[in-house]
Amino acid sequence: QLKLVNPSQYRFEHLVTQMKWRLQEGRGEAVYQIGVEDNGLLVGLSEEEMRASLKTLRRMAEKVGADITVLREREVDYDSDVPRKITEVLVRKVPDNQQFLDLRVAVLGNVDSGKSTLLGVLTQGELDNGRGRARLNLFRHLHEIQSGRTSSISFEILGFNSKGEVVNYSDSRTAEEICESSSKMITFIDLAGHHKYLKTTIFGLTSYCPDFAMLVVSANTGIAGTTREHLGLAMALKVPFFIVISKVDLCSKATVERTVKQLERILKQPGCNKLPLLVNSDDDAVTAAQQFAQSPNITPIFTLSSVSGENLDLLKVFLNILPPLTNSKEQEELMQQLTEFQVDEIYTVPEVGTVVGGTLSSGICREGENLVVGPTDDGKFLRLKVCSIQRNRSACRVLRAGQAATLALGPFDRSLLRKGMVMVSPEMNPTICSVFEAEIVLLFHATTFRKGFQVTVHVGNVRQTAIVEKIHGKDKLRTGEKAVVRFRFIKHPEYLKIGAKLLFREGVTKGIGHVTDLQAITTKENGLEESLGPGQLSF
């Protein structure tokens, strides 16, 4: 917008309507640049005009129930004696009916790079003492506290209110309070860095569908251990990532610069093809967040310390402005499909019964809804009822596509459930299969990959051992080769979709690809099964 000085009533209404539409497009967020013409010319406004324009913008925001925060101001050299400025303003709508923006960020990096400590500092709001005090609240198991290593997947939340201030556990807030007072929630998925927990890390990346990944690299060790592997995983699963170099308080400036150069070199390699962007000021952080969302090739790099708190604010500014990847239209389309919920975790809660955690991949799920869950070991689907829904530890009536939540199933027998199942609406008539084909690329293999080879296959939340039954057109595969391969699951059939991303591993063997064909087993309502011939796909 150029300027918004004392608009007429009609013009004001028009501007408010436009703002409503923009907020809806950006799912509750929009950035206004004041002092810029529609064709992108930086004209700038004088002090008075700017003040009047911001006042109008504030009135507009109040009208639609939003708050505004000034992100940054810049002086423009325009042919005039008066200094002229342009301002960027973030408009964010206060959430009505718990519709906060929810971004999931997976946290990757080598063991001892400071992932859990950084999250502890961000979510608890107090700095670390250099010996790992900040991460103690994140650990889920006793052995993690003793060894200081994360071995399971834990979730941490960080909120931003509509004014762009951080809402976290400081001031002894509970998780429910954070949810209530935030208009944007960032859920960090803390993954394990140690090599022996790689399968847990892959599961976290494939089944929790993170929007972004944060790769943490320790400044004093540089790129070591599983860092390259995690970088490769994020790229294989096409998760946009940004990089945080931690522990800068431990080393000299030269060491930090060396680590940055090392990272930039790797990112510019032909395999990565990324454009590193080093963030040194608030201005950089704002630019980084906007550029990062628009083009996936840009990789912002932050250098910070969880002990001295250096540059920690830049990361917070970046996370506050980071827009969601899907716009509202794509989400609307997902919500109109039939309900499908991926089961990632199963718990038993006293006096509640069985509880499942996971992500709703399409449709809408309401309290009291009847769904079917499966496939069981013999390929059947069982009926169940959703008793209640919780999102980020606070109750919620309706779950929309793309949101993660836990559903209470009441007295349903827990032993019938396992990770990798799906809960779908009964009319969906889900297809399950034991045999499927996928187009794969072999990333790394010690010898040759051939028929009869057993690998662990990850597709979304499905994780199971499969045997290679046939490699089309070839006898064997070597590193870097592409082929269509037929796999058969060893234990039980699974629910797969064509086009789903696939990752497999076995020891040092690794490969990626996508599902191209399923040999479906159809299940009749009464539990009788009939098999379709290969190539005939029932949907």
Side-chain angles (χ1 to χ4, degrees):
Q1 300 288 340
L2 182 55
K3 51 184 171 182
L4 310 164
V5 186
N6 295 335
S8 64
Q9 187 59 35
Y10 174 73
R11 165 102 174 122
F12 182 70
E13 293 296 332
H14 172 72
L15 285 168
V16 169
T17 318
Q18 194 182 19
M19 183 183 268
K20 260 190 197 155
W21 184 80
R22 284 201 178 147
L23 284 172
Q24 197 179 344
E25 271 296 281
R27 293 173 63 180
E29 283 186 326
V31 175
Y32 273 76
Q33 291 169 329
I34 301 180
V36 179
E37 280 199 17
D38 287 347
N39 57 8
L41 187 67
L42 306 176
V43 183
L45 299 181
S46 65
E47 194 73 25
E48 277 166 30
E49 288 179 319
M50 186 55 88
R51 209 177 301 131
S53 296
L54 284 174
K55 192 176 161 191
T56 310
L57 198 61
R58 219 164 257 130
R59 266 178 55 210
M60 284 158 56
E62 271 170 21
K63 189 102 184 202
V64 293
D67 280 342
I68 71 170
T69 340
V70 175
L71 292 179
R72 52 180 177 177
E73 298 187 324
R74 247 201 218 144
E75 293 211 354
V76 207
D77 334 330
Y78 201 66
D79 313 336
S80 75
D81 313 333
V82 203
R84 301 176 80 93
K85 282 185 178 166
I86 53 173
T87 309
E88 273 192 55
V89 185
L90 177 69
V91 183
R92 186 177 286 163
K93 192 158 191 274
V94 185
D96 38 318
N97 71 13
Q98 274 296 301
Q99 268 299 298
F100 49 75
L101 271 169
D102 195 9
L103 292 184
R104 289 194 288 274
V105 178
V107 185
L108 298 167
N110 190 29
V111 59
D112 302 335
S113 61
K115 298 184 292 297
S116 302
T117 301
L118 174 61
L119 293 194
V121 171
L122 284 173
T123 58
Q124 312 294 332
E126 53 183 68
L127 294 172
D128 189 52
N129 61 356
R131 292 191 196 80
R133 189 179 74 189
R135 62 170 189 222
L136 286 179
N137 301 331
L138 271 69
F139 285 159
R140 288 171 56 164
H141 301 292
L142 179 64
H143 67 252
E144 294 183 326
I145 292 174
Q146 284 160 348
S147 71
R149 282 192 187 143
T150 310
S151 69
S152 60
I153 300 173
S154 63
F155 294 91
E156 287 309 313
I157 54 176
L158 173 68
F160 289 98
N161 61 19
S162 41
K163 294 189 178 65
E165 297 155 346
V166 174
V167 184
N168 57 17
Y169 288 107
S170 57
D171 317 333
S172 68
R173 288 194 188 90
T174 59
E176 288 88 17
E177 287 172 341
I178 294 182
C179 291
E180 277 164 20
S181 46
S182 305
S183 56
K184 176 176 197 169
M185 294 281 296
I186 294 190
T187 309
F188 288 107
I189 307 168
D190 189 15
L191 301 170
H194 198 278
H195 198 100
K196 85 173 187 200
Y197 303 125
L198 185 68
K199 73 167 198 176
T200 311
T201 306
I202 293 181
F203 183 74
L205 267 178
T206 52
S207 71
Y208 293 114
C209 327
D211 297 304
F212 303 104
M214 172 162 87
L215 184 71
V216 184
V217 180
S218 151
N220 51 3
T221 52
I223 295 176
T226 45
T227 309
R228 281 169 198 267
E229 220 160 287
H230 286 177
L231 188 67
L233 282 175
M235 296 206 34
L237 294 165
K238 296 193 169 62
V239 180
F241 60 91
F242 56 97
I243 296 176
V244 170
I245 298 176
S246 64
K247 307 192 186 186
V248 294
D249 56 299
L250 283 180
C251 17
S252 62
K253 270 223 164 80
T255 321
V256 178
E257 276 167 22
R258 199 180 69 215
T259 306
V260 172
K261 288 218 165 57
Q262 191 187 7
L263 270 168
E264 287 180 341
R265 201 167 59 241
I266 279 198
L267 290 172
K268 285 175 182 166
Q269 279 174 359
C272 280
N273 239 339
K274 301 278 186 199
L275 200 71
L277 178 66
L278 193 61
V279 177
N280 292 321
S281 63
D282 278 0
D283 207 40
D284 290 353
V286 175
T287 313
Q290 291 170 357
Q291 298 279 342
F292 181 53
Q294 283 159 8
S295 93
N297 288 350
I298 288 179
T299 302
I301 301 178
F302 296 85
T303 52
L304 53 84
S305 159
S306 307
V307 177
S308 66
E310 185 187 337
N311 288 351
L312 210 55
D313 292 346
L314 299 186
L315 183 60
K316 288 179 184 165
V317 167
F318 175 76
L319 291 170
N320 176 30
I321 306 171
L322 203 57
L325 279 177
T326 54
N327 55 27
S328 46
K329 196 162 136 219
E330 287 168 27
Q331 205 204 2
E332 290 288 320
E333 283 169 12
L334 272 177
M335 277 161 53
Q336 280 156 13
Q337 295 169 8
L338 291 170
T339 308
E340 181 187 320
F341 182 84
Q342 296 185 349
V343 178
D344 297 333
E345 298 205 54
I346 302 155
Y347 325 92
T348 306
V349 180
E351 295 178 9
V352 178
T354 307
V355 173
V356 293
T359 315
L360 189 69
S361 41
S362 63
I364 290 181
C365 178
R366 295 185 174 81
E367 276 184 16
E369 196 154 335
N370 290 310
L371 300 173
V372 292
V373 68
T376 54
D377 292 354
D378 50 3
K380 293 194 179 67
F381 277 76
L382 311 163
R383 296 164 184 276
L384 55 79
K385 186 179 175 190
V386 178
C387 300
S388 64
I389 304 175
Q390 274 203 351
R391 224 183 126 203
N392 285 351
R393 306 185 183 90
S394 50
C396 151
R397 282 284 160 84
V398 182
L399 191 60
R400 292 175 172 78
Q403 298 179 343
T406 48
L407 313 180
L409 307 177
F412 194 81
D413 183 6
R414 176 184 173 163
S415 60
L416 297 172
L417 295 170
R418 61 182 166 79
K419 284 184 187 182
M421 283 187 160
V422 285
M423 287 164 46
V424 293
S425 62
E427 63 258 32
M428 188 150 163
N429 195 8
T431 46
I432 54 172
C433 65
S434 288
V435 179
F436 67 96
E437 288 184 359
E439 186 179 312
I440 61 159
V441 179
L442 204 56
L443 293 183
F444 183 73
H445 188 50
T447 53
T448 53
F449 177 87
R450 57 182 70 216
K451 186 180 160 187
F453 202 75
Q454 287 198 5
V455 290
T456 309
V457 175
H458 294 259
V459 188
N461 61 342
V462 170
R463 165 171 74 181
Q464 204 190 138
T465 308
I467 294 186
V468 175
E469 281 204 334
K470 185 179 177 186
I471 301 175
H472 289 282
K474 291 182 184 168
D475 296 335
K476 53 194 181 196
L477 275 185
R478 293 183 185 279
T479 303
E481 293 189 334
K482 232 182 192 180
V484 176
V485 176
R486 187 189 306 156
F487 291 101
R488 175 185 289 277
F489 283 127
I490 277 188
K491 289 208 290 251
H492 34 242
E494 296 280 12
Y495 171 84
L496 295 182
K497 277 181 166 168
I498 288 188
K501 288 195 199 80
L502 165 133
L503 225 134
F504 61 87
R505 56 180 180 82
E506 174 53 54
V508 288
T509 307
K510 285 184 194 65
I512 58 169
H514 61 272
V515 179
T516 54
D517 194 16
L518 312 170
Q519 288 192 12
I521 308 167
T522 54
T523 47
K524 282 284 176 68
E525 275 299 303
N526 54 10
L528 287 173
E529 296 176 11
E530 55 181 30
S531 179
L532 292 172
Q536 269 184 283
L537 302 179
S538 74
F539 280 108

